[in-house]
Amino acid sequence: MSRAAELQLPLNDIHQAYPALVRALAEAGETPPRIQELLSQHLRIRCLGCGQAITADDLSHLGFGDPTAPAPNPTVERLRLGYCARPDCKSRFYHATATTGIVAWPAIFQRTQHFITHPPAPIADPKPEPVDPKAHPNVGNKATAPDSAPSVEDLPEPRQLTFKEKWRRLQFTALAATVALGLLFWWWNSGLRIPGLGPTPRQFEVISSPGDAPPAAAAPAQPAPGAPRSFRSQ
């Protein structure tokens, strides 16, 4: 069981009590449903002068409600104006107590008092600094902004080629075609093979076996025996 804890709330700061209590309980590790249960069932807030009690819902409307919207009840309306909830009471202080809920309420109330006296600063929207259009002529120009893609209308038109540039391109094209035809003719005469890539032509050689003897040379013709020889005298 936790010890009894007390927290004095001036009427000028009572609108900060509920946000400070929620922040202190969340800092202690309580979940949002548990925070709502603790504040609605285990927190008691009464006026020090007349004992008028107010609920956690009234504190919630004071802390998180729109101050320009109509108040949900007369109690919240008087507390917004800085008066006690009872019309005939002139007290300026309320008193919060809590004893149950298995929560260290003294530490919670101590942190609540700290958050009331040191509220978080509101986050203001940064205003853009004025830009001199003379120093930055491209500011505001959608076509030249770095984060915006240029549209089709903003793209420059293609430049027309001159006659000299066209004639030079035609010469280069004719030269490339001539070189290509020369290479094709040379490739056709070389046997339709690519040097270094195509297979080399195969050569066939007939090798005789050892048993095959070379044919004998033909002997010169000899005159038949007994044939008469012819003589010629000079």
Side-chain angles (χ1 to χ4, degrees):
M1 184 71 66
S2 59
R3 296 186 296 108
E6 299 179 355
L7 177 64
Q8 185 172 323
L9 299 172
L11 284 177
N12 294 334
D13 299 332
I14 198 170
H15 63 283
Q16 301 180 10
Y18 197 87
L21 285 167
V22 171
R23 187 177 178 184
L25 290 170
E27 188 180 68
E30 301 292 343
T31 60
R34 174 66 172 165
I35 292 174
Q36 184 177 6
E37 176 187 351
L38 291 171
L39 295 180
S40 60
Q41 299 181 10
H42 304 285
L43 184 67
R44 300 290 180 266
I45 304 176
R46 297 181 180 274
C47 176
L48 284 177
C50 65
Q52 176 69 31
I54 59 176
T55 64
D57 291 339
D58 296 335
L59 282 183
S60 176
H61 284 294
L62 288 173
F64 297 122
D66 186 2
T68 61
N73 51 57
T75 298
V76 177
E77 180 65 26
R78 288 187 59 84
L79 292 175
R80 282 182 179 177
L81 297 176
Y83 301 111
C84 177
R86 180 171 291 180
D88 57 350
C89 180
K90 304 300 181 181
S91 177
R92 305 291 300 174
F93 295 93
Y94 270 70
H95 187 249
T97 58
T99 57
T100 58
I102 316 299
V103 175
W105 285 108
I108 296 298
F109 282 167
Q110 183 178 2
R111 294 297 295 168
T112 301
Q113 186 65 45
H114 172 77
F115 292 143
I116 291 176
T117 56
H118 300 83
I123 301 176
D125 296 335
K127 297 182 179 179
E129 297 181 357
V131 180
D132 187 4
K134 296 181 180 180
H136 303 278
N138 293 331
V139 173
N141 189 355
K142 184 178 179 181
T144 58
D147 296 336
S148 60
S151 60
V152 178
E153 292 79 4
D154 299 330
L155 296 176
E157 296 182 358
R159 184 178 62 88
Q160 297 293 335
L161 298 177
T162 61
F163 176 77
K164 186 176 181 179
E165 292 176 344
K166 292 181 180 180
W167 177 249
R168 185 173 299 176
R169 290 190 176 186
L170 182 60
Q171 288 179 339
F172 287 157
T173 304
L175 179 61
T178 303
V179 173
L181 289 176
L183 292 176
L184 182 61
F185 181 76
W186 172 80
W187 177 63
W188 182 271
N189 290 336
S190 63
L192 303 180
R193 57 180 298 270
I194 302 176
L197 297 178
T200 57
R202 293 179 297 177
Q203 298 180 357
F204 298 93
E205 182 180 357
V206 179
I207 302 176
S208 60
S209 61
D212 297 337
Q222 297 293 332
R229 297 183 180 179
S230 60
F231 295 95
R232 186 179 58 179
S233 62
Q234 295 180 357

